[in-house]
Amino acid sequence: MALTMQGGVKIPLIGLGTFKDINETELEATLNKALEMGYRHIDTAAIYDNEHVIGRVLKEWFTTGKLKREDVFITTKLSFNKNHPNLIEEALKESLQKLQLDYVDSYLVHFPIYMTGQLGKGNLEPQPTDHLAIWKKMEEQVDAKRARTIGISNWNMQQIDRLIKNARIKPANTQIELHLYFQQKKLVEFCHKNNIVVVSYVPLGSTDTGDFTAKTYGRNIILPNVLQEQVVTKIAEKHKKSAAQVILRYLIQKDIVVIPKSINPQKLRQNLQIFDYNLDSEDVKAMEDLDRDMDGLIFHHGFLNQHVTMHPEYPYKE
Ligand SMILES: NC(=O)c1ccc[n+]([C@@H]2O[C@H](COP(=O)([O-])OP(=O)(O)OC[C@H]3O[C@@H](n4cnc5c(N)ncnc54)[C@H](OP(=O)(O)O)[C@@H]3O)[C@@H](O)[C@H]2O)c1
């Protein structure tokens, strides 16, 4: 099952997330399992530092003839410290080299802010960020056939609006934090109206191990584990599905692509089995009501740098 993006490129409704709490050995095993199960969409990013592992696994699948390149949809993302027109072409070429691919299906500007320095080195410096100049270079990557489509991630509505008014090649998809507590309804509506596919990252709230904390604007708001949310578990019981399956179904039923991550084969398989039933309007309404708007935001990206929230292009302004 797939959605068709601008330009006619199809994006599978479910993809495999590859970021967070997953080492190289686990990732390699997970990728092999996922491809065997039928996953045909993999999400990565330069900043995840795992493109080389994905490249190694894909190479094996392609050379043994188990899959052809065109069978798999690969997304990677431009790192925040390469968010400058002079750095984009080299950055994508480096990603392609690590992925051992000639092209990616989707290349995303990972974050609307340019920063010099490196994560974890304590030397990150927010820099002026010229979205339109960045986008021109992104468009050239499509012309050069290094990317079939280009898109964005973590951009707000105003930033996207300005982009589409000035773009020669429109963003095909946007990847945003989107889960039951942070449903970004206005942004989703805006994107759909403008024919931009929405991809939900952290669709399961990023954890199955307990409560987590939303830290928008320095507020520490404890959010209950979404997989144990009573509204969700009741709907899951009714349909004889798991909580995760119900949440993923809710999102794809709204034409939102999901990229859950798991290293557990049972969960991986479960997450694929969401196409054989429907949530009714009552279920959908109950899940819509779980939205907490900005209080549900988990990834405020303040971890990148304490000054990032002061940057004029910081996307989450109230
Ligand atoms: N564009 C961006 O800025 C951005 C930011 C963050 C993430 N992402 C992308 O989005 C992907 C997903 O985000 P995420 O991994 O943080 O969050 P997630 O997919 O919402 O949650 C992952 C957690 O859910 C658990 N899980 C998965 N399937 C489950 C199931 N069926 N039942 C119960 N638990 C289940 C996983 O457990 P186990 O792994 O222990 O099995 C893991 O603890 C990332 O991997 C990455 O590719 C993008």
Side-chain angles (χ1 to χ4, degrees), residues 9-10 12 35 39-42 44 54-55 57-76 92 95-96 99-107 145-149:
V9 176
K10 286 191 161 51
L35 289 169
Y39 280 82
R40 293 294 179 263
H41 170 180
I42 297 166
T44 181
I54 295 168
V57 171
L58 286 175
K59 173 91 172 172
E60 174 76 13
W61 278 71
F62 297 152
T63 50
T64 55
K66 287 195 281 185
L67 275 182
K68 295 199 283 289
R69 169 64 188 93
E70 56 270 32
D71 295 333
V72 198
F73 186 99
I74 310 291
T75 295
T76 195
L92 177 51
S95 285
L96 289 174
L99 288 163
Q100 303 192 47
L101 299 175
D102 297 329
Y103 66 88
V104 286
D105 299 277
S106 171
Y107 193 44
K145 300 199 184 324
R146 283 187 279 271
R148 288 176 80 209
T149 66

Side-chain angles (χ1 to χ4, degrees), residues 154-165 176 184-191 193-194 196 315:
N154 300 303
W155 291 40
N156 68 28
M157 203 172 355
Q158 289 71 29
Q159 291 167 333
I160 300 175
D161 191 38
R162 179 162 173 258
L163 188 63
I164 55 183
K165 285 185 173 133
I176 53 172
Q184 304 232 49
K185 290 172 187 163
K186 279 193 200 141
L187 181 56
V188 172
E189 195 188 330
F190 171 82
C191 288
K193 218 166 77 193
N194 285 286
I196 298 170

Side-chain angles (χ1 to χ4, degrees), residues 17-20 43 48 77 110 153-154 175 201-208 227 242 244 259-264 267 270-271 299 301:
T18 64
F19 170 63
K20 214 165 147 253
D43 180 74
Y48 302 166
K77 311 182 195 91
H110 202 151
S153 179
N154 300 303
Q175 193 178 116
Y201 76 72
V202 301
L204 303 174
S206 201
T207 175
D208 69 348
L227 296 171
S242 73
I259 48 168
K261 165 253 162 193
S262 177
I263 51 172
N264 173 317
K267 294 183 203 167
Q270 232 188 56
N271 295 348
F299 275 84
H301 291 93

